[in-house]
Amino acid sequence: MRLSLLLTSSLLISACGGSDPTTEPPTKPEPPIEPTTLHSDKVQQLWQENITDLITSEPLWQNDYAYDTANVLMLPMHYAYQHKERFNDDPRHNFEQFFANVESAFYPQDIENRVIKTQFLYFVSQYLKLQIESSRWPENETVNLLLLERIESALNELWYNLDAVHWDASLQFTGIKQRLEWKLSSPAYDYAYYGAIIDEEMFSLAIMNDLAFIKSALGQEYGPADEIKAVTRQVITTQGSFDGTAWFFQKGQWHDHRDYAYAGHATLGSALERSEVSDIAIDSSHSHRMPLWLKSFADAAGSNNDSLYVDALAGFRHTFESFALQTRESEEEFQLLQTNYLDGRNGLYRYSYSTLGDDNGYGPFELSGTLLVGYYAFSGSQKYAQGMRRLANSFPLSHALIETYTGPASSRYRHPSFQWPEYFSNGFAQTFSFLASCYQRDIESCEGE
């Protein structure tokens, strides 16, 4: 009993002696919360199943696949090089394996369609540029030099030597250069679209600007460098225009082309009459390429850029965010959409097009699927990134939204992983949405609900 009392008294004295009973004992500060640097298991699994497994096993450089490969995989490739630390396994190795396979099996002459050819060659030139920027060129130098030589040879042929066809069959051009110079000379023509700068011309300029950048980094001469930079500058200066802070490329140039000739109609119908919109902007399914093209131009120009391409990109971003990119929201679903034309117009596109069938075409918002395959992430648009975050966390998408993203059924053949509408439910579109959301943002702000 006495021992018990002594212990009790001792405890009381210890608790109260010489201290203010209202003062809390000092606590050890909590260690700072480390920012998340790795993607969640969910995102890494999506990457493994939809990117790694595909590019390490499939011949995606083949003619039927090359167009979509360059469209869909451009962002994942850039993401792998910009954010390798976000993955348990370095994702760059997958792309290096893929391009080693490309080097051993792909030859540009295997692809006849020039849009497909130049788009895929741009995918290759962007890979080589990433190899330079990431200082990984020496590790893959043998493959890289062979690819560099191959695309340089292909572009020289296209630019200088091969016939360049025109809608006006009476015009004969040798090389893309000659045809482009004719368009830039302000010639007289019967239709406005005869003067339109087309995909293969823009891709060729972008590739050759990449080649100038790469060769300069390697300390090598690139003969056409000054010529290409001058023509590129002329194209952007004369064909781009600002409307306030909004920037447009060749606004109105395509209005009388049959793809655009029904833009004045808001709904599909049988045997519609042409309804042209004279100042129509470029359609949103093609304009997604512009941000990355402008980056290629700016990087090649270097210190001689004087903000021309940076200003154009900022204006493009403003146009995209202010006019084309739209959201819809209900209790059931969030929808990220874009109008059919970059200026916010939403009329028909490609009415009765060859791969769509008579009286069919893209109705309002039905080019929105491009948001989940293209290059808009390179525009720097935070509105787009935030919308893609919400979309990524909304899967599985509703049947109605998938129908809008898919648009009319097309007869164009695609690789099974890229086939629409399955693309929007097989995991690939969700993977792309996460990457678009996170490309220019930290993980905590881009993966969360």
Side-chain angles (χ1 to χ4, degrees):
M1 172 66 79
R2 186 176 179 183
L3 179 60
S4 176
L5 289 172
L6 287 171
L7 288 171
T8 302
S9 300
S10 177
L11 289 170
L12 289 171
I13 292 170
S14 175
C16 302
S19 64
D20 183 350
T22 63
T23 302
E24 292 291 330
T27 58
K28 186 177 181 180
E30 292 290 331
I33 299 175
E34 294 293 330
T36 301
T37 57
L38 283 174
H39 276 301
S40 64
D41 290 344
K42 175 182 179 180
V43 173
Q44 295 208 53
Q45 182 177 355
L46 283 168
W47 177 279
Q48 176 68 40
E49 293 174 353
N50 295 284
I51 308 297
T52 302
D53 291 351
L54 179 67
I55 65 175
T56 56
S57 63
E58 295 290 321
L60 299 174
W61 53 85
Q62 291 182 356
N63 184 71
D64 288 338
Y65 307 150
Y67 181 90
D68 292 301
T69 297
N71 241 8
V72 180
L73 292 178
M74 184 71 85
L75 174 61
M77 179 175 70
H78 275 262
Y79 197 95
Y81 279 84
Q82 180 158 320
H83 297 301
K84 67 182 187 303
E85 74 285 350
R86 296 182 176 182
F87 298 87
N88 289 324
D89 300 314
D90 190 337
R92 297 175 300 179
H93 298 317
N94 304 140
F95 283 97
E96 288 164 0
Q97 178 183 338
F98 174 76
F99 281 99
N101 293 335
V102 169
E103 188 283 316
S104 66
F106 167 75
Y107 294 90
Q109 58 267 31
D110 293 341
I111 299 178
E112 291 186 11
N113 183 289
R114 290 193 180 181
V115 175
I116 298 175
K117 185 199 298 282
T118 52
Q119 180 153 311
F120 188 78
L121 290 175
Y122 186 48
F123 187 47
V124 179
S125 73
Q126 283 285 291
Y127 166 74
L128 295 177
K129 190 177 170 189
L130 289 168
Q131 285 278 292
I132 290 285
E133 293 173 331
S134 65
S135 301
R136 291 188 62 79
W137 184 281
E139 295 184 39
N140 304 283
E141 186 170 37
T142 300
V143 167
N144 291 345
L145 288 173
L146 289 169
L147 287 172
L148 181 63
E149 179 183 1
R150 199 169 300 169
I151 62 175
E152 183 178 355
S153 175
L155 263 296
N156 282 342
E157 283 295 295
L158 287 168
W159 188 252
Y160 293 112
N161 300 325
L162 298 179
D163 290 344
V165 298
H166 190 272
W167 288 290
D168 184 348
S170 68
L171 298 172
Q172 304 292 321
F173 300 109
T174 301
I176 289 174
K177 175 189 175 182
Q178 192 177 92
R179 184 180 60 198
L180 183 56
E181 288 176 341
W182 176 82
K183 292 177 181 179
L184 294 173
S185 68
S186 302
Y189 33 63
D190 295 333
Y191 301 98
Y193 73 88
Y194 277 10
I197 311 297
I198 59 177
D199 292 343
E200 69 181 69
E201 292 161 348
M202 292 298 290
F203 274 123
S204 295
L205 288 175
I207 296 163
M208 296 179 86
N209 274 275
D210 281 355
L211 291 175
F213 175 90
I214 294 164
K215 290 244 176 179
S216 176
L218 294 174
Q220 300 178 11
E221 291 293 326
Y222 180 51
D226 290 341
E227 171 191 307
I228 292 301
K229 292 176 186 179
V231 172
T232 301
R233 184 178 182 84
Q234 185 181 3
V235 166
I236 298 303
T237 301
T238 63
Q239 306 302 306
S241 61
F242 279 94
D243 184 356
T245 55
W247 185 84
F248 297 93
F249 186 72
Q250 292 206 305
K251 192 174 185 181
Q253 194 77 55
W254 288 89
H255 79 271
D256 52 358
H257 187 276
R258 74 167 330 277
D259 288 358
Y260 289 66
Y262 301 85
H265 291 286
T267 56
L268 291 168
S270 177
L272 294 177
E273 296 290 328
R274 292 172 70 101
S275 180
E276 299 174 12
V277 179
S278 61
D279 62 343
I280 195 79
I282 291 178
D283 68 274
S284 56
S285 68
H286 285 85
S287 61
H288 75 89
R289 299 154 170 165
M290 187 59 71
L292 198 55
W293 287 340
L294 289 171
K295 188 175 186 307
S296 286
F297 303 158
D299 289 349
S303 59
N304 296 321
N305 181 9
D306 69 18
S307 81
L308 171 67
Y309 305 119
V310 174
D311 291 346
L313 179 58
F316 175 92
R317 180 170 57 249
H318 176 79
T319 303
F320 175 56
E321 292 184 334
S322 300
F323 301 110
L325 189 62
Q326 300 189 17
T327 61
R328 287 179 179 173
E329 191 167 2
S330 66
E331 292 183 2
E332 293 78 25
E333 187 171 46
F334 170 79
Q335 298 183 351
L336 188 67
L337 304 168
Q338 66 176 351
T339 56
N340 286 352
Y341 298 92
L342 202 61
D343 56 6
R345 291 188 171 100
N346 212 11
L348 301 185
Y349 175 67
R350 284 189 169 173
Y351 176 72
S352 292
Y353 191 65
S354 59
T355 62
L356 304 178
D358 292 342
D359 299 332
N360 205 357
Y362 292 90
F365 296 112
E366 288 188 340
L367 294 182
S368 296
T370 306
L371 296 170
L372 286 83
V373 300
Y375 302 171
Y376 280 128
F378 303 108
S379 70
S381 169
Q382 289 301 305
K383 180 179 177 182
Y384 171 68
Q386 291 162 6
M388 292 298 276
R389 175 187 61 81
R390 295 195 63 187
L391 192 66
N393 288 295
S394 299
F395 282 77
L397 305 179
S398 70
H399 178 70
L401 183 55
I402 290 176
E403 281 193 332
T404 299
Y405 283 155
T406 304
S410 172
S411 61
R412 185 169 71 82
Y413 181 77
R414 290 178 165 102
H415 185 278
S417 293
F418 305 144
Q419 188 66 42
W420 290 17
E422 292 82 4
Y423 175 85
F424 298 101
S425 58
N426 66 10
F428 221 117
Q430 186 176 23
T431 306
F432 189 96
S433 300
F434 274 118
L435 301 182
S437 170
C438 294
Y439 181 62
Q440 294 183 335
R441 306 166 76 207
D442 62 78
I443 291 176
E444 291 180 336
S445 63
C446 72
E447 275 200 34
E449 295 289 340

